[in-house]
Amino acid sequence: MSSGEPKNATGSWDKSRLPSRHVSVGPERAPHRSYYYAMGLTEEEIAQPFVGVATCWNEAAPCNIALNRQAQSVKKGVKTGGATPREFTTITVTDGIAMGHQGMKASLVSREVIADSVELTMRGHCYDALVGLAGCDKSLPGMMMAMVRLNVPSVFMYGGSILPGRFKGRDVTVQDVFEAVGAHAAGKMGEDELHELECVACPSAGACGGQFTANTMACVSEAIGLALPGSAGAPAPYEDRDIWAVRSGEAVVELIRRNIRPRDIVTRKALENAAVVVAASGGSTNAALHLPAIAHECGIDFDIHDVGRIFEKTPYIADLKPGGRFVAKDLHEIGGVPVLLKALLDGGYLHGDCLTVTGKTMAENLADVVFPTDQDVVRPTTSPLSPTGGVVVLRGNLAPEGAVVKVAGMKNLRFSGPARCFDCEEDAFAAVENREYKEGDVLVIRYEGPRGGPGMREMLSTTAALYGQGMGDKVALITDGRFSGATRGFCIGHVGPEAAVGGPIGLLQDGDIITLDAEKGTMSVELTDEELAVRRTGWKPRTHDFQSGTLWKYAQLVGSAEKGAVTHPGGKAETHCYADI
């Protein structure tokens, strides 16, 4: 924990160690203060710490639409705590709308843009602390990356999940709609029925309701210690979210007083706790990309293989969609993420001594949580759904840098078959839609990695169509791109090195026999090193159409999925951090 008390004995704030002194203290800052007076601030408010209240609010999708409302409640909490809130927004790219077309190339890139834009706003205006609110997939890690990069006192808050839809007497999510597209293409669902489903599947504000990427990273926010315990649970429309928002605003001011910073909280042990929760909840494979990226901002080495080692020894205990039966609302109703954390702590799978934004340790936060026995959503670790985690990292001659698969809900953990190669998602989806593949095939989608895409697209449209056709467990799919947290089946993503840099996935030919084994953690192709070397001599990099603009810049900078697909040197290269300016 950093030293220094920013409030003096009389109760007024001492800004001598706070970044906002550069824009609010001394005669030379009169022009700066004049701008604050122009916005209605009082002399007292200017003398208080400035707290950035950053949201990813937009009208792109229901994931983000409630964030503006919640930000107003955060601001009330900041004011009650004795500091001055300054609200600002950044972008989001919402995967449900970007999915299945070229727009998905923008999704992962948005994580970096979110982190970068929050950093620039905080740096440019010298804010002293940050409350970040996020709703859709990449916005959660993007906001957390900004927090640990800046290292000013910070609290994260999830915008909340969507309520489940109801269709023919059962709960449904957007995953069901994506899979219904495949069922419609296969003649198993009529157009009227598909339309009826699409009209009821998403009935409120909030992010996707299953344990997809948004809810996975929301669980991570509590497990890693950056969010108030219990704050991730309530669905977006619930007024509870506004109560949590007020508390988050109050909490960040207390963190300023105590000078507790994100890197005091996000330690290697905290990252391990986060990986445990991903595995235990059958979470999104994307967490294997985002946890290394958050670690990178802190200067901590924590790559896909470190994540995988945690996954290997963690029991799968939360019966959540897409592998299980329940949605985020069900988890909230039995006590939320603290119940999951309590089960894992009692089972000996969490580091209880990790500091959190409450100023207390994980164990102290959970001391009064009672694990409910009259529910089926979360099991005790002594009676897991399976003894190892719901997500597995694989390695082999086809993926020397690793790959990742969600095994939650899968019955068969081994698959072997001939390769059917596609050099982009569109070609693969067209083949699936037209049933131009065979049972037993291993569909290979390549040149969709971070650099080669560019942007490392998710493949939910293709995987969901396979399930809709009833073929989800009869073929496998591998890619150097990503999969949605809603994907299920033997679908392996993040294969590295990616095809664009000469990885083995780019050397495959139709008919090569690929063997995938999630029990042993291996993926291989029946080719010798010599055969692969010969093919590499004839390989040429594939060009893409993004030769200018943001995606071109991203492709020049981005690193491998193994290390989190990051775009800058990270905390290890720092000579100073923003919090100490």
Side-chain angles (χ1 to χ4, degrees), residues 311-330:
F311 290 171
E312 285 173 11
K313 60 185 183 183
T314 304
Y316 167 41
I317 61 172
D319 196 5
L320 299 169
K321 288 178 179 285
R325 296 175 290 162
F326 299 103
V327 294
K329 177 175 174 285
D330 300 311

Side-chain angles (χ1 to χ4, degrees), residues 219-265:
C219 290
V220 162
S221 72
E222 290 195 32
I224 210 167
L226 287 174
L228 292 178
S231 64
Y238 285 19
E239 290 186 2
D240 284 10
R241 295 231 61 80
D242 297 284
I243 297 171
W244 284 113
V246 171
R247 291 177 182 170
S248 295
E250 293 171 340
V252 82
V253 183
E254 183 60 24
L255 293 176
I256 301 172
R257 288 193 175 94
R258 298 179 62 179
N259 204 18
I260 296 175
R261 299 179 176 186
R263 294 186 197 177
D264 300 323
I265 293 167

Side-chain angles (χ1 to χ4, degrees), residues 287-428:
L289 201 67
H290 301 323
L291 293 180
I294 293 169
H296 178 74
E297 300 287 354
C298 302
I300 298 172
D301 291 327
F302 193 71
D303 65 16
I304 191 173
H305 309 294
D306 295 305
V307 173
R309 282 187 280 273
I310 303 296
F311 290 171
E312 285 173 11
K313 60 185 183 183
T314 304
Y316 167 41
I317 61 172
D319 196 5
L320 299 169
K321 288 178 179 285
R325 296 175 290 162
F326 299 103
V327 294
K329 177 175 174 285
D330 300 311
L331 178 61
H332 171 63
E333 289 174 350
I334 66 150
V337 179
V339 167
L340 176 58
L341 293 173
K342 181 70 169 180
L344 292 164
L345 182 67
D346 288 349
Y349 292 94
L350 287 183
H351 301 291
D353 58 344
C354 289
L355 183 67
T356 72
V357 289
T358 64
K360 299 177 181 179
T361 65
M362 177 70 69
E364 289 171 333
N365 289 342
L366 299 173
D368 296 328
V369 175
V370 177
F371 182 83
T373 56
D374 57 344
Q375 51 82 32
D376 297 322
V377 182
V378 177
R379 297 190 181 191
T381 57
T382 53
S383 180
L385 291 157
S386 68
T388 56
V391 184
V392 173
V393 172
L394 310 177
R395 205 169 190 173
N397 74 337
L398 189 46
E401 290 181 354
V404 65
V405 59
K406 178 185 282 195
V407 297
M410 281 175 51
K411 295 177 182 177
N412 181 18
L413 299 183
R414 191 177 185 280
F415 197 101
S416 186
R420 177 87 161 81
C421 299
F422 303 93
D423 285 350
C424 66
E425 183 192 10
E426 285 83 358
D427 291 351

Side-chain angles (χ1 to χ4, degrees), residues 123-335:
R123 280 188 183 275
H125 305 101
C126 295
Y127 294 157
D128 302 310
L130 174 63
V131 180
L133 296 92
C136 192
D137 299 5
K138 308 310 168 295
S139 62
L140 282 80
M143 196 66 74
M144 286 185 259
M145 287 162 65
M147 289 174 174
V148 292
R149 182 187 301 178
L150 294 163
N151 203 33
V152 291
S154 300
V155 174
F156 177 85
M157 196 180 111
Y158 180 40
S161 66
I162 200 168
L163 294 172
R166 293 290 291 176
F167 181 69
K168 295 187 175 180
R170 62 186 177 93
D171 284 350
V172 291
T173 69
V174 72
Q175 172 196 352
D176 296 274
V177 188
F178 274 102
E179 293 182 3
V181 171
H184 174 262
K188 297 180 179 181
M189 177 181 280
E191 197 161 335
D192 290 344
E193 189 178 4
L194 177 61
H195 179 68
E196 183 184 350
L197 172 60
E198 74 181 70
C199 290
V200 300
C202 300
S204 75
C208 297
Q211 195 65 349
F212 313 152
T213 304
N215 279 317
T216 298
M217 295 308 295
C219 290
V220 162
S221 72
E222 290 195 32
I224 210 167
L226 287 174
L228 292 178
S231 64
Y238 285 19
E239 290 186 2
D240 284 10
R241 295 231 61 80
D242 297 284
I243 297 171
W244 284 113
V246 171
R247 291 177 182 170
S248 295
E250 293 171 340
V252 82
V253 183
E254 183 60 24
L255 293 176
I256 301 172
R257 288 193 175 94
R258 298 179 62 179
N259 204 18
I260 296 175
R261 299 179 176 186
R263 294 186 197 177
D264 300 323
I265 293 167
V266 182
T267 61
R268 186 178 182 87
K269 282 185 175 181
L271 289 158
E272 290 175 355
N273 284 349
V276 165
V277 165
V278 174
S281 64
S284 169
T285 55
N286 284 304
L289 201 67
H290 301 323
L291 293 180
I294 293 169
H296 178 74
E297 300 287 354
C298 302
I300 298 172
D301 291 327
F302 193 71
D303 65 16
I304 191 173
H305 309 294
D306 295 305
V307 173
R309 282 187 280 273
I310 303 296
F311 290 171
E312 285 173 11
K313 60 185 183 183
T314 304
Y316 167 41
I317 61 172
D319 196 5
L320 299 169
K321 288 178 179 285
R325 296 175 290 162
F326 299 103
V327 294
K329 177 175 174 285
D330 300 311
L331 178 61
H332 171 63
E333 289 174 350
I334 66 150

Side-chain angles (χ1 to χ4, degrees), residues 397-398 415-423 438-446 476-478 503-516 523-536 539:
N397 74 337
L398 189 46
F415 197 101
S416 186
R420 177 87 161 81
C421 299
F422 303 93
D423 285 350
K438 297 176 182 177
E439 183 175 330
D441 280 351
V442 179
L443 307 183
V444 178
I445 307 179
R446 58 197 179 188
L477 198 156
I478 70 171
I505 191 172
L507 308 178
L508 293 175
Q509 298 174 1
D510 287 348
D512 288 341
I513 301 301
I514 295 171
T515 299
L516 313 168
M523 64 181 298
S524 59
V525 57
E526 291 183 9
L527 294 171
T528 65
D529 291 345
E530 291 74 19
E531 288 171 316
L532 286 169
V534 169
R535 289 190 185 183
R536 189 169 282 110
W539 174 83

